[in-house]
């Protein structure tokens, strides 16, 4: 998220707010190694839908991976809907941990140990979430195309929310 906070993710966040979704986006002040704040966990648990933006360096952040694990747990325990967006990354790279995702997971294996519960859990959750129906987006388009695509995402998310929770 950090690498897209001021572009795609930020634009999506504001579009969802404009569509009257109660939204939350981590403010980027967590440092590497910080624990996920209670407020973040509470917001995740109260959500009915979690949108996860997978960008090329998502897996290099242990905070992003820990948040993803928590979101995945909420999907399983609270019937929360996860909507992945693959931003400038192939869905298969996330699922199979290839390219930047594979490099990041190798670094985590070196840091925490190849058979570390944490690394195995991150890998498993990445694979599982990458198998969900998703939106895919490439940043190579023009800015006005981005806003049109985000508008269609918000409309589709609104329809999903209505159908899922009514």
């Amino acid at each position: 998220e950090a690498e897209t906070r001021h572009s795609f993710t930020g634009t999506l966040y504001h579009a969802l707010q404009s569509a009257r979704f109660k939204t939350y986006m981590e403010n980027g002040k967590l440092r590497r190694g910080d624990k996920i704040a209670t407020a973040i966990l509470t917001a995740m648990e109260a959500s009915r839908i979690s949108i996860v933006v997978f960008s090329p360096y998502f897996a290099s952040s242990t905070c992003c991976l820990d948040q993803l694990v928590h979101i995945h747990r909420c999907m399983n325990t609270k019937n929360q809907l996860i909507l992945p967006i693959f931003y400038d990354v192939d869905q298969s790279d996330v699922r199979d941990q290839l390219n930047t995702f594979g490099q990041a997971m190798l670094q985590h294996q070196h840091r925490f140990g190849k058979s570390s519960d944490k690394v195995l859990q991150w890998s498993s959750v990445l694979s599982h979430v990458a198998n969900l129906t998703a939106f895919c987006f490439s940043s190579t388009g023009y800015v006005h195309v981005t806003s049109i695509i985000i508008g269609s995402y918000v409309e589709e998310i609104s329809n999903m929310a209505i159908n899922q929770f009514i």
Side-chain angles (χ1 to χ4, degrees):
E1 175 191 307
E3 67 195 278
T4 64
R5 177 175 291 110
H6 300 292
S7 58
F8 180 83
T9 302
T11 304
L12 177 61
Y13 172 79
H14 293 295
L16 289 165
Q17 283 187 318
S18 294
R20 299 188 179 269
F21 279 93
K22 185 175 178 183
T23 57
Y24 176 82
M25 183 170 73
E26 198 273 310
N27 63 12
K29 294 185 180 175
L30 284 177
R31 293 181 315 250
R32 190 176 293 267
D34 283 353
K35 292 213 180 261
I36 301 172
T38 303
I40 296 170
L41 297 176
T42 302
M44 288 178 188
E45 290 167 7
S47 298
R48 295 188 298 176
I49 299 173
S50 286
I51 299 171
V52 180
V53 178
F54 290 101
S55 55
Y57 297 100
F58 178 97
S60 64
S61 166
T62 58
C63 289
C64 286
L65 292 169
D66 286 340
Q67 289 176 19
L68 180 64
V69 166
H70 194 77
I71 289 168
H72 186 260
R73 190 173 302 123
C74 290
M75 179 187 83
N76 291 326
T77 61
K78 298 178 180 289
N79 203 30
Q80 188 180 100
L81 181 63
I82 299 177
L83 299 177
I85 297 177
F86 296 92
Y87 180 86
D88 281 342
V89 66
D90 287 341
Q91 196 166 350
S92 63
D93 286 354
V94 178
R95 179 180 44 251
D96 302 326
Q97 279 110 66
L98 303 172
N99 297 316
T100 58
F101 280 78
Q103 294 164 5
M105 294 311 290
L106 280 173
Q107 289 176 345
H108 296 316
Q109 287 174 4
H110 291 303
R111 180 176 176 198
F112 298 106
K114 189 172 187 169
S115 56
S116 142
D117 288 342
K118 186 179 263 307
V119 173
L120 294 173
Q121 186 177 39
W122 289 336
S123 180
S124 174
V125 170
L126 282 168
S127 295
H128 186 263
V129 173
N131 277 320
L132 299 174
T133 302
F135 299 112
C136 298
F137 183 80
S138 171
S139 66
T140 57
Y142 295 100
V143 173
H144 72 280
V145 173
T146 301
S147 62
I148 291 168
I149 290 171
I150 286 176
S152 69
Y153 287 172
V154 170
E155 185 176 326
E156 194 165 337
I157 292 164
S158 295
N159 291 334
M160 286 179 192
I162 289 168
N163 291 331
Q164 172 109 7
F165 301 108
I166 289 186

